[in-house]
Amino acid sequence: MSAAALAVEAAGGDAIELNLALEDERWVEALPDFEELARGALLALGRRLAVTPTELGLTLASDAAVRTLNAEWRNKDKPTNVLSFPARDLTPGEAPDALLGDLVLALETCRREAAAEAKSLADHFRHLVVHGTLHCLGYDHEDDAAADEMEALEVLILGDLGIADPYRDMENHEEPVRA
């Protein structure tokens, strides 16, 4: 496993320190600029939200690894695109502690979803980094009102990155990106 750390400036000069762990080397071939893409996603998020200095872990893994975590932590014996592990439960707008939490992305699921939704893997990856980070910041999609709030924020952040609204045509897909 290799690791890299990126300092990501957020609104007001604050920073999200990104600790990146590469558990599946196939990510390098699939998305060679994953570090820069993650950094850009967090910068866009930081411009929209006031985030106090904090640390976020991002692990790039395989479906098998994510399936194991998903079974252990969510009692769902299947892979998913992104798992979010907040360091503590926050409400939207609440300041995180020094450690925000961890995200784990599954390569095969991310590739499959991007292809099925006719979008680039890079755009889908950035969306999932934003989506997972919002979960760590207390946003969820457990009910329609919360989902609408989270999705609206995602659409704004992704729009800042030049990424089309990922929820626009969701009725054409079997299952939304919601993790």
Side-chain angles (χ1 to χ4, degrees):
M1 171 171 52
S2 61
L6 301 171
V8 181
E9 289 184 20
D14 294 335
I16 297 174
E17 183 180 326
L18 179 63
N19 291 313
L20 187 58
L22 183 62
E23 288 193 356
D24 188 328
E25 293 289 333
R26 294 175 301 160
W27 276 98
V28 175
E29 183 179 322
L31 209 56
D33 54 347
F34 59 80
E35 290 182 32
E36 187 59 34
L37 293 169
R39 171 191 239 244
L42 291 174
L43 283 169
L45 186 146
R47 284 191 289 270
R48 288 284 175 181
L49 300 172
V51 179
T52 58
T54 189
E55 181 179 330
L56 177 71
L58 173 60
T59 301
L60 303 181
S62 66
D63 270 16
V66 170
R67 180 180 182 166
T68 299
L69 290 169
N70 206 19
E72 180 179 344
W73 292 97
R74 298 177 67 219
N75 295 316
K76 295 184 180 187
D77 189 17
K78 63 180 184 175
T80 188
N81 50 25
V82 61
L83 289 173
S84 301
F85 298 97
R88 72 176 174 93
D89 289 333
L90 299 173
T91 57
E94 185 179 357
D97 292 331
L99 178 61
L100 180 57
D102 293 290
L103 307 180
V104 184
L105 273 72
L107 177 61
E108 299 92 333
T109 297
C110 291
R111 277 182 167 160
R112 197 170 41 255
E113 289 175 347
E117 297 169 19
K119 62 176 77 166
S120 72
L121 181 58
D123 285 354
H124 193 47
F125 174 82
R126 292 185 292 175
H127 178 201
L128 294 173
V129 169
V130 168
H131 184 90
T133 304
L134 288 174
H135 276 308
C136 288
L137 288 166
Y139 293 87
D140 67 44
H141 37 76
E142 295 300 315
D143 60 52
D144 288 342
D148 289 345
E149 178 184 15
M150 184 173 177
E151 288 174 11
L153 192 50
E154 287 176 63
V155 168
L156 285 172
I157 294 165
L158 296 173
D160 292 344
L161 293 166
I163 298 172
D165 177 352
Y167 298 109
R168 183 181 59 235
D169 295 322
M170 288 315 293
E171 64 274 3
N172 298 330
H173 302 289
E174 289 181 19
E175 184 177 325
V177 170
R178 297 177 182 165

